[in-house]
Amino acid sequence: MKAMILAAGRGERMRPLTDHTPKPLLRVGGKPLIVWHIEHLAAAGFRDLVINHAHLGKQIEAALGNGAQFGVSIQYSPEPEALETAGGIAQALPLLGDEPFLVVNGDVYTDYDFTRVNGQLGADQLAWLVLVDNPEHNGRGDFALEGRCVSEQGPEMHTFSGIGIYRPELFFGVTRGSKAKLAPLLREAMRSGKVGGEYFGGRWVDVGTPQRLEELDRNLNEA
C-alpha cells in the first residue's frame, strides 16, 4: 500500500514561523514534523510515499530528497496553490495508483502504529478513518463511531485524526487541479454506509499553533 503525507497547507495560524519555513519542516523533538511521519511509516513497512506541497514546497523536496535517507521512495505532487485535502489527493491520484492508499496529515504528531491499517478497509467501503478524543479546540468532534461504522452524528462524537485509508473512487468526482474539501465526500459516503473506522486512544497532537508546537517540542525533548 502506498502512503500520502499532506504537506501543502500554508500554516496561517503558525505565522510568523511559516513565513519562511513550510509547516511540515518545523522542528519538534529534534527533527521536522514530517520526518516523524516518514520514519513511522517506514518502520511499519511503507516504502512508496507521495507528498504534496505548495507553500515553499521546494524546501520540502530539498530537505527530504528521494527518500533514500529514510529507506523509502518519495514522489512529489506540487500544487501552484493549496488545493485543500480532497483536491490535493485528487491531483496526486496518478502517483497513488488504482489500489487503496493511506493518507496522513502532515501537521499532526502521533505515535499511531501504521501497521494497524492493514486489512481494515472493507470490500464495500470507500474510506476507513482513525478517530481520536476531541481536543479543546474541537470540542464538538467531527464524526461518530458506532461499532466499526463511522457516521455523521451519534451519541459520542470523536475527532478525525487526519489518518485514513481511501479508495481512489472516492475522488473521481473531483476535477484535478481544483480545490475540494474532504469532509463533504466523506459525509456523502457515510450516508451510504461506506465509511469504516476505529478509535485510537494513544498520543495525537494537532500541531496547529506555535503554542502547541512549543509544548510538543518540550514534551518530546523531556521523554
Side-chain angles (χ1 to χ4, degrees):
M1 181 185 293
K2 292 187 176 182
M4 181 176 183
I5 303 176
L6 300 174
R10 173 64 176 82
E12 289 289 347
R13 291 179 299 165
M14 296 293 282
R15 298 184 68 183
L17 298 179
T18 52
D19 285 345
H20 305 289
T21 303
K23 184 159 62 169
L25 292 186
L26 295 176
R27 300 177 72 85
V28 289
K31 66 185 74 172
L33 265 173
I34 197 168
V35 170
W36 288 97
H37 281 324
I38 294 172
E39 291 180 346
H40 288 159
L41 288 166
F46 288 86
R47 292 293 174 261
D48 295 311
L49 309 185
V50 174
I51 298 174
N52 70 333
H53 62 67
H55 174 63
L56 302 176
K58 290 300 182 182
Q59 289 189 32
I60 295 176
E61 293 195 23
L64 306 179
N66 63 7
Q69 60 181 310
F70 308 106
V72 300
S73 173
I74 297 176
Q75 293 180 285
Y76 295 97
S77 179
E79 302 169 14
E81 62 175 335
L83 299 176
E84 305 280 4
T85 300
I89 295 173
Q91 179 78 359
L93 283 182
L95 301 176
L96 292 166
D98 299 325
E99 299 298 320
F101 50 84
L102 172 71
V103 175
V104 56
N105 284 1
D107 58 357
V108 301
Y109 173 85
T110 182
D111 60 5
Y112 180 81
D113 180 1
F114 289 107
T115 62
R116 292 169 54 162
V117 306
N118 294 324
Q120 294 285 6
L121 184 68
D124 61 340
Q125 293 176 337
L126 291 172
W128 182 87
L129 313 178
V130 177
L131 304 183
V132 297
D133 291 324
N134 300 327
E136 290 184 5
H137 59 275
N138 191 43
R140 298 178 62 181
D142 300 312
F143 305 120
L145 182 64
E146 301 174 43
R148 293 176 58 82
C149 184
V150 178
S151 57
E152 295 181 81
Q153 295 291 332
E156 186 175 6
M157 300 291 288
H158 295 286
T159 290
F160 174 40
S161 68
I163 302 170
I165 306 173
Y166 308 105
R167 294 191 188 278
E169 302 93 281
L170 182 65
F171 305 94
F172 283 175
V174 179
T175 302
R176 291 192 65 220
S178 65
K179 292 185 177 182
K181 295 182 179 297
L182 178 61
L185 300 183
L186 290 176
R187 291 193 168 96
E188 182 179 353
M190 287 174 192
R191 294 175 195 129
S192 302
K194 294 184 177 181
V195 180
E198 73 162 351
Y199 166 77
F200 172 63
R203 193 171 197 178
W204 178 86
V205 180
D206 174 7
V207 191
T209 65
Q211 293 75 22
R212 286 182 227 150
L213 181 77
E214 182 180 350
E215 182 179 357
L216 176 61
D217 182 55
R218 183 171 60 251
N219 290 340
L220 290 174
N221 286 323
E222 292 173 352

